[in-house]
Amino acid sequence: MQVHSFTAGAFGENGYIATCEATGATVVVDPGACAPQIVSRLATAGLSVQAILLTHAHLDHVEGLGVVRDFTDAPTHMHPLDRPMFDALGQQAAMFGMPFPELDPPEEELADGQVFTLGECSFEVSLTPGHAPGHVMFVSLDAGLALSGDLIFMGSIGRTDLPGGNSQELFASIRSRVLTLPDETRLLSGHGPETTVGHERVANPFLVPQYGGELA
Ligand SMILES: [Zn+2]
Ligand SMILES: [Zn+2]
C-alpha cells in the first residue's frame, strides 16, 4: 500500500490517498482544504477511486468533499455516530466565520471492526471516540500503518472540548486501540507530521506519566 499525504488550509489538515500498488485501487481519506491537490494527483496518476473515507465529520476534514465528489462517483463512508455533526456543518462553519456549501450526506456507514478491502490491501475500521463520537481510524496491520485522524498526534492528542468530545473516551480509545498496535506502526494523523506508536508511547507528554500524562 502506498499512502500520499496532502496538507492545506487554515487548520493545516492532512488529507490522504491510499493506493493498493498491485491493482491501483485507491481511497481518498479526509478531503479537507487539500482536496484540489488530491484531485490533481488522482487525475495525473490515473488512479481509480473506490471510496471516500472520513475519520470524522469536523469541517476541516470534509470541507473539500464536494471537490472530490465532482471528480468521482465513489461513495463516501462515515461512522453513523458522526452524522449529527455532519448535519451541523453549517454551524461548524459559522463558528469559524467560514462559508459552507451544502453537502449531501455520506452514502455508506462504517462499523467498528469492519474490514474495508482495497484491491489486495485492506483496512480495519476502528471506532475511537473521544475527539468526536463517531471518530474512526483506518488500520492496516499488513501495511504497518494507521490513518488515525484527530485521535493522537506527534506529541499531542485530539481536543475534547468540541461538541461530542469526551476526554475519558479519548484516553480509553488511545489505550485500547493505539497503544495495542505494534510499536513500528506508522501513525498518519489529521494534523502535523507522521509518527509511530512506539515514539508516542515513550515521548507523548499526554501519555507518559513522568511528563504528567495518564497512560503508557
Ligand atoms: Zn477534528
Ligand atoms: Zn482536524
Side-chain angles (χ1 to χ4, degrees):
M1 187 186 306
Q2 197 161 46
V3 180
H4 281 91
S5 70
F6 304 84
T7 309
F11 303 100
E13 189 264 347
N14 298 326
Y16 294 92
I17 59 179
T19 302
C20 162
E21 287 163 291
T23 63
T26 295
V27 289
V28 172
V29 181
D30 287 358
C34 59
Q37 301 169 46
I38 287 180
V39 164
S40 125
R41 164 83 193 177
L42 294 171
T44 338
L47 299 169
S48 110
V49 182
Q50 189 177 318
I52 302 165
L53 305 179
L54 303 178
T55 59
H56 63 300
H58 281 156
L59 176 64
D60 51 329
H61 295 251
V62 303
E63 63 180 311
L65 183 55
V67 174
V68 179
R69 279 173 163 170
D70 285 344
F71 176 81
T72 173
D73 291 332
T76 305
H77 299 241
M78 187 183 76
H79 194 282
L81 286 174
D82 257 27
R83 179 61 192 272
M85 212 156 60
F86 189 96
D87 293 339
L89 277 167
Q91 283 133 273
Q92 292 189 50
M95 227 170 83
F96 295 106
M98 291 167 63
F100 200 81
E102 285 292 308
L103 283 173
D104 289 332
E107 291 86 357
E108 302 287 339
E109 296 192 345
L110 296 170
D112 187 36
Q114 174 187 346
V115 175
F116 187 91
T117 306
L118 178 64
E120 295 173 5
C121 307
S122 64
F123 284 113
E124 183 172 340
V125 176
S126 183
L127 179 62
T128 46
H131 173 71
H135 186 288
V136 298
M137 291 195 303
F138 301 103
V139 180
S140 177
L141 286 178
D142 287 345
L145 62 87
L147 296 162
S148 51
D150 286 2
L151 176 60
I152 181 167
F153 309 110
M154 180 184 271
S156 189
I157 57 173
R159 59 190 288 184
T160 54
D161 58 327
L162 295 167
N166 180 307
S167 65
Q168 276 178 331
E169 282 183 358
L170 185 93
F171 278 114
S173 292
I174 293 173
R175 188 196 305 268
S176 64
R177 299 297 177 93
V178 178
L179 297 178
T180 49
L181 296 171
D183 273 352
E184 62 275 16
T185 310
R186 299 163 65 196
L187 294 174
L188 303 165
S189 59
H191 303 268
E194 172 177 342
T195 184
T196 63
V197 171
H199 184 266
E200 298 315 303
R201 196 192 299 284
V202 298
N204 189 311
F206 292 90
L207 306 185
V208 179
Q210 74 226 51
Y211 301 148
E214 300 176 21
L215 303 175

